[in-house]
Amino acid sequence: EDEAPAAAEEWQRLKPQVYEDVQLNYRLICEGSPDSQVARYGAVERSFCRLDVSGRPSVEFFLGEEISYPVTGEAHIFEPKAAEPMPRWLTEAALLLKRAGAKAELLEGSPLQVSLVSVQQGLMLLPDGVMFRRLHGAPPLPPTGPGLPRDAATVKAAWRVWFARNGELVMNTGNDLWEEDAAVQLVIDEDELMIPLEMGLKQLQAGAAGCLRVSERWGFGALMPAGSPTLRGADVWIELVMHEVINPPEASDFADDAARLEFAQRRKEQGNGHLARGEVGGLARAVRR
């Protein structure tokens, strides 16, 4: 499924993968780099792509959306941008080309040359408005901790938030998100932050960076563990940098049955305590215990 169509001199009919009403003829000029990520569209996976189109400004977009963002900098650098309407055929063109570096000629009224410049991993974390993508090429941090945060992980992370419509900065945890003093410590799933922000943090291992686009439908809640500032229904961009991840132990981490039973009992008592006190942040974890 990851193979791109071979370059051909004859015009071929494009088979739509997302929008059945898109009708295009294409002629592949060259294939993309085998080292590039593959452009993907699925229930959760929604690649973030940059396309160059002859005679038009370059654009970036999440596959399957009908809005795009102007290209103003390097592909791996995050910049808050205002959305603009986008024709559906651009999603189909990106899926056709598959990998960065691929080029094709399309008949969309008149012939156009389209180049897929970059493909980044993108995810739809919540329907209708919470999109996540990783940022590559950013200054790496030394890896600390065991990969992605699990439930109840303690993390140190930094972030900044902009209003999507005008690019106005709402807040940041520090001027340079990669500096240690910009990082904030919190426990995932303790209801300390608004839901999309916590979901974004759970996509990042230590030393990684990403960004979120949150629609006003989901733009509610605290932006800091202290509870302020708070959003009350706003379209925002959020840039994230994960500094450290400390995951809680799991039963499988213990060497013998006695230690595992003691750990399970302790987790159960913690969960029952959350239920008894009515602490919202611990209810979901209590049910899982």
Side-chain angles (χ1 to χ4, degrees):
E1 62 174 342
D2 293 345
E3 293 183 1
E9 296 183 0
E10 299 298 325
W11 290 98
Q12 302 179 60
R13 192 68 168 176
L14 182 143
K15 296 179 181 179
Q17 300 182 51
V18 180
Y19 300 113
E20 294 183 358
D21 60 334
V22 171
Q23 298 182 5
L24 290 173
N25 290 325
Y26 73 92
R27 185 162 55 192
L28 195 67
I29 297 173
C30 66
E31 299 180 12
S33 167
D35 298 326
S36 166
Q37 289 194 37
V38 175
R40 298 184 185 279
Y41 174 88
V44 176
E45 286 188 293
R46 304 286 176 90
S47 296
F48 189 80
C49 299
R50 176 184 291 193
L51 274 182
D52 282 348
V53 183
S54 59
R56 305 187 184 192
S58 300
V59 292
E60 296 178 328
F61 55 94
F62 288 100
L63 294 181
E65 293 201 322
E66 296 182 41
I67 54 175
S68 65
Y69 308 95
V71 174
T72 56
E74 297 298 323
H76 62 270
I77 297 176
F78 174 74
E79 298 177 59
K81 304 169 185 177
E84 301 173 351
M86 181 190 88
R88 291 178 167 186
W89 64 263
L90 289 178
T91 281
E92 297 296 346
L95 289 169
L96 168 72
L97 295 172
K98 288 188 180 293
R99 297 179 184 271
K103 297 180 181 180
E105 193 173 9
L106 302 180
L107 279 178
E108 205 282 318
S110 58
L112 294 171
Q113 184 169 305
V114 180
S115 303
L116 185 55
V117 178
S118 65
V119 179
Q120 297 182 31
Q121 181 188 30
L123 301 171
M124 183 174 68
L125 300 183
L126 288 169
D128 300 326
V130 180
M131 305 297 292
F132 168 86
R133 69 179 174 101
R134 295 185 184 277
L135 296 174
H136 299 288
L141 290 169
T144 56
L148 296 175
R150 297 197 298 259
D151 292 343
T154 298
V155 303
K156 290 182 180 179
W159 58 89
R160 54 175 150 243
V161 184
W162 294 265
F163 288 122
R165 290 176 180 171
N166 58 16
E168 178 185 350
L169 182 67
V170 179
M171 60 78 64
N172 61 55
T173 60
N175 292 328
D176 185 346
L177 301 188
W178 294 93
E179 292 294 330
E180 185 176 356
D181 59 6
V184 174
Q185 181 169 306
L186 68 143
V187 178
I188 297 288
D189 295 329
E190 288 283 2
D191 269 8
E192 296 185 83
L193 300 174
M194 72 176 196
I195 292 172
L197 183 46
E198 286 206 355
M199 293 182 73
L201 290 173
K202 292 180 80 170
Q203 307 305 315
L204 296 173
Q205 67 272 32
C211 70
L212 287 165
R213 198 208 65 221
V214 182
S215 72
E216 62 182 0
R217 176 183 177 184
W218 297 105
F220 288 86
L223 297 176
M224 288 288 286
S228 180
T230 299
L231 294 180
R232 300 187 182 277
D235 291 302
V236 293
W237 281 104
I238 305 175
E239 182 181 10
L240 306 163
V241 175
M242 182 64 74
H243 285 251
E244 184 177 4
V245 175
I246 303 174
N247 276 322
E250 293 185 323
S252 59
D253 296 330
F254 295 90
D256 56 67
D257 290 342
R260 282 192 287 272
L261 286 171
E262 181 183 354
F263 170 74
Q265 181 63 30
R266 189 164 61 249
R267 291 287 296 272
K268 180 180 179 180
E269 291 173 357
Q270 290 171 350
N272 289 339
H274 283 300
L275 287 169
R277 293 189 296 272
E279 295 175 351
V280 176
L283 293 182
R285 291 191 304 282
V287 171
R288 286 196 293 272
R289 295 187 185 108

